[in-house]
């Protein structure tokens, strides 16, 4: 699961996984990649919003810093409604492994 | 499943020792001791890294007088060299902006920093911890199994009570404690030394209160000449970190 807030370059990520598969010979591996929209909620006024709706207000550099450490969004973003920096990342923070399944042939 | 946790050991595999400088109370000198310890170990010829984990008041870059430029990225973030030591801090990512973090944000940011930072070969990684037995302390213990704690206390009974609670928690969790340094000593009272002995923690030594220290923060050439730095050097040279 790729959370939108971390702004992973999906083609580059897929390429890295492809290299990883090549490096090991033991198993046949398939990755299923899902993307999740980042949603934020203001702790002060309760307003919820999508990261994609406010992303354009960020500079390229600020976006890159959030890419490395998503929590630093608190330094560069504010609640669109009440301007509070006290918000939570409800979903779509970053990279998560949802499940690993072993399939025997 | 969080894939970041599994990469932390890989990132730290070439680091021989990891020392968390901690002590529960704020304002007892954890940051200046962390910086001076890293600098002194580096001067002794060791390869040293310094990680500032005090997200609420990152200050190591100010103590070192570091001119920060964004680290290089190549399959991770390379900790830039500052004053001969590899240095990583949240300030690279928040610059001078206020960043109000809740507990979960602190945990996530710590795990992220540990997962993305490339330290390379190090003899020592010194971690400047935030005050308290909170998220940062628990996360570091969870993420770095071989962490060792260096405790700091002033002569204040209040500071000692907090340090004592931390020492007891570390013992309960089977986390190694190197010992305790008494900082900002103002009188000949040996209360901390006696209490440390009663608790079974190694008393590493005392550093007197140095009124000239403040004016040398950010001025490395004078910082290392202070009485504070000399007394810390003496503690280190006694081999108590080996």
């Amino acid at each position: 699961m790729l959370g939108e807030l971390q702004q992973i370059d999906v083609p580059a990520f897929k390429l890295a996984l492809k290299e990883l598969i090549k490096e090991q010979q033991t198993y046949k591996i398939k990755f299923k990649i899902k993307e999740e929209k980042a949603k934020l909620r203001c702790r002060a006024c309760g307003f919820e919003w999508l990261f994609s709706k406010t992303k354009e207000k960020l500079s390229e550099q600020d976006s890159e810093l959030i890419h490395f450490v998503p929590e630093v969004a608190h330094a560069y973003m504010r609640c669109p409604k009440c301007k509070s920096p006290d918000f939570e990342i409800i979903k779509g923070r970053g990279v998560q492994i949802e499940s690993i399944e072993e399939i025997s042939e | 499943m969080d894939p970041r946790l599994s990469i932390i050991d890989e990132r730290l595999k070439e680091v021989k020792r990891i020392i968390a400088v901690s002590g529960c109370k704020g304002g007892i000198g954890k940051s200046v001791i962390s910086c001076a310890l890293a600098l002194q170990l580096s001067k002794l010829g060791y390869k040293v890294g310094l990680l500032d984990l005090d997200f609420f008041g990152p200050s190591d870059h100010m103590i070192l007088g570091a001119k920060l430029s964004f680290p290089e990225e190549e399959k991770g973030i390379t900790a830039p060299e500052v004053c001969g030591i590899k240095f990583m801090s949240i300030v690279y990512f928040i610059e001078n902006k206020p960043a109000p973090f809740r507990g979960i944000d602190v945990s996530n940011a710590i795990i992220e920093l540990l997962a993305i930072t490339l330290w390379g070969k190090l003899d020592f990684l010194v971690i400047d911890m935030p005050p308290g037995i909170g998220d940062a302390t628990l996360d570091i213990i969870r993420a770095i199994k071989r962490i060792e704690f260096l405790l700091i206390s002033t002569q204040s009974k209040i500071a000692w009570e907090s340090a004592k609670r931390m020492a007891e928690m570390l013992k309960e969790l089977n986390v190694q404690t190197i010992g305790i340094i008494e900082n900002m000593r103002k009188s000949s009272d040996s209360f901390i030394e006696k209490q440390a002995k009663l608790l079974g923690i190694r008393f590493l030594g005392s550093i007197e209160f140095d009124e000239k220290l403040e004016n040398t923060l950010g001025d490395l050439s004078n910082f290392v000449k202070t009485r504070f730095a000399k007394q810390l050097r003496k503690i280190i040279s006694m081999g108590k970190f080996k």
Side-chain angles (χ1 to χ4, degrees), chain A residues 5 36-52 54 66 70-75 77-80 82-94, chain B residues 100-106 108:
Chain A
L5 190 59
E36 185 179 48
K37 285 269 180 196
K39 199 173 184 185
L40 309 137
R41 182 194 292 135
C42 179
R43 286 192 177 98
C45 73
F47 185 70
E48 291 184 6
W49 74 98
L50 290 171
F51 173 64
S52 54
T54 51
I66 294 171
E71 284 62 40
V72 304
H74 289 93
M77 292 172 67
R78 296 291 180 260
C79 167
C82 75
K83 310 294 176 206
S84 170
D86 186 12
F87 56 84
E88 59 183 313
I89 304 159
I90 307 171
K91 61 175 191 169
R93 180 205 171 272
Chain B
F101 294 132
R102 295 269 189 164
I104 181 69
D105 303 316
V106 171
N108 265 321

Side-chain angles (χ1 to χ4, degrees), chain B residues 58-117:
Chain B
S59 55
D60 292 359
H61 61 293
M62 292 169 69
I63 296 166
L64 297 173
K67 288 187 179 78
L68 300 178
S69 54
F70 194 76
E72 282 179 28
E73 184 203 6
E74 177 66 40
K75 293 180 179 174
I77 299 279
T78 304
E81 203 160 301
V82 172
C83 318
I85 53 182
K86 289 190 177 176
F87 178 61
M88 182 50 69
S89 165
I90 196 75
V91 291
Y92 286 118
F93 305 93
I94 60 171
E95 298 163 345
N96 290 322
K97 293 179 174 63
F101 294 132
R102 295 269 189 164
I104 181 69
D105 303 316
V106 171
S107 288
N108 265 321
I110 286 176
I111 298 298
E112 199 72 44
L113 269 190
L114 291 171
I116 63 173
T117 306

Side-chain angles (χ1 to χ4, degrees), chain A residues 4-22:
Chain A
E4 185 192 17
L5 190 59
Q6 197 147 34
Q7 305 159 82
I8 301 287
D9 181 338
V10 179
F13 187 72
K14 283 182 176 169
L15 190 70
L17 291 180
K18 213 171 164 183
E19 290 301 310
L20 197 70
I21 292 170
K22 270 191 211 166

Side-chain angles (χ1 to χ4, degrees), chain B residues 95-164:
Chain B
E95 298 163 345
N96 290 322
K97 293 179 174 63
F101 294 132
R102 295 269 189 164
I104 181 69
D105 303 316
V106 171
S107 288
N108 265 321
I110 286 176
I111 298 298
E112 199 72 44
L113 269 190
L114 291 171
I116 63 173
T117 306
L118 305 171
W119 293 101
K121 281 186 184 174
L122 291 181
D123 295 302
F124 291 94
L125 173 60
V126 176
I127 304 181
D128 180 12
M129 298 295 293
I133 315 175
D135 297 277
T137 304
L138 296 171
D139 283 320
I140 279 293
I141 293 170
R142 175 172 67 118
I144 308 172
K145 303 291 176 218
R146 56 195 174 94
I147 192 91
E148 302 166 57
F149 274 75
L150 169 63
L151 300 180
I152 312 296
S153 178
T154 62
Q155 284 185 302
S156 157
K157 289 178 176 63
I158 298 168
W160 165 251
E161 272 308 309
S162 301
K164 183 184 163 192

Side-chain angles (χ1 to χ4, degrees), chain B:
Chain B
M1 194 186 299
D2 188 344
R4 299 172 301 168
L5 288 169
S6 56
I7 205 173
I8 292 173
D9 281 344
E10 179 68 23
R11 296 293 196 219
L12 297 170
K13 71 176 180 189
E14 292 184 301
V15 180
K16 288 182 188 162
R17 289 183 66 186
I18 307 168
I19 298 173
V21 178
S22 188
C24 272
K25 295 301 280 183
I28 57 173
K30 292 183 294 297
S31 294
V32 281
I33 287 183
S34 297
C35 291
L37 174 63
L39 289 167
Q40 181 55 23
L41 289 169
S42 169
K43 206 177 169 193
L44 289 170
Y46 294 111
K47 285 180 182 160
V48 182
L50 175 63
L51 172 60
D52 188 349
L53 278 191
D54 191 350
F55 292 172
F56 299 114
S59 55
D60 292 359
H61 61 293
M62 292 169 69
I63 296 166
L64 297 173
K67 288 187 179 78
L68 300 178
S69 54
F70 194 76
E72 282 179 28
E73 184 203 6
E74 177 66 40
K75 293 180 179 174
I77 299 279
T78 304
E81 203 160 301
V82 172
C83 318
I85 53 182
K86 289 190 177 176
F87 178 61
M88 182 50 69
S89 165
I90 196 75
V91 291
Y92 286 118
F93 305 93
I94 60 171
E95 298 163 345
N96 290 322
K97 293 179 174 63
F101 294 132
R102 295 269 189 164
I104 181 69
D105 303 316
V106 171
S107 288
N108 265 321
I110 286 176
I111 298 298
E112 199 72 44
L113 269 190
L114 291 171
I116 63 173
T117 306
L118 305 171
W119 293 101
K121 281 186 184 174
L122 291 181
D123 295 302
F124 291 94
L125 173 60
V126 176
I127 304 181
D128 180 12
M129 298 295 293
I133 315 175
D135 297 277
T137 304
L138 296 171
D139 283 320
I140 279 293
I141 293 170
R142 175 172 67 118
I144 308 172
K145 303 291 176 218
R146 56 195 174 94
I147 192 91
E148 302 166 57
F149 274 75
L150 169 63
L151 300 180
I152 312 296
S153 178
T154 62
Q155 284 185 302
S156 157
K157 289 178 176 63
I158 298 168
W160 165 251
E161 272 308 309
S162 301
K164 183 184 163 192
R165 275 196 290 274
M166 171 155 270
E168 285 169 342
M169 185 199 72
L170 295 173
K171 200 172 177 184
E172 197 180 319
L173 296 173
N174 287 320
V175 177
Q176 195 181 336
T177 303
I178 298 169
I180 189 161
I181 290 177
E182 178 188 61
N183 193 28
M184 302 184 197
R185 186 181 172 96
K186 284 182 176 171
S187 75
S188 57
D189 188 300
S190 55
F191 171 75
I192 300 294
E193 186 172 4
K194 284 176 191 162
Q195 291 298 316
K197 202 175 269 181
L198 282 174
L199 200 64
I201 314 174
R202 210 153 55 125
F203 181 77
L204 300 174
S206 293
I207 300 172
E208 290 169 15
F209 180 77
D210 185 348
E211 66 282 355
K212 290 179 182 162
L213 182 63
E214 179 66 27
N215 289 335
T216 68
L217 301 181
D219 173 6
L220 213 58
S221 56
N222 284 318
F223 177 69
V224 295
K225 288 180 200 157
T226 57
R227 189 175 63 197
F228 160 83
K230 283 176 191 162
Q231 291 181 348
L232 179 65
R233 206 147 50 226
K234 194 177 164 195
I235 293 171
I236 297 167
S237 67
M238 286 161 81
K240 289 177 175 174
F241 286 84
K242 288 177 185 166

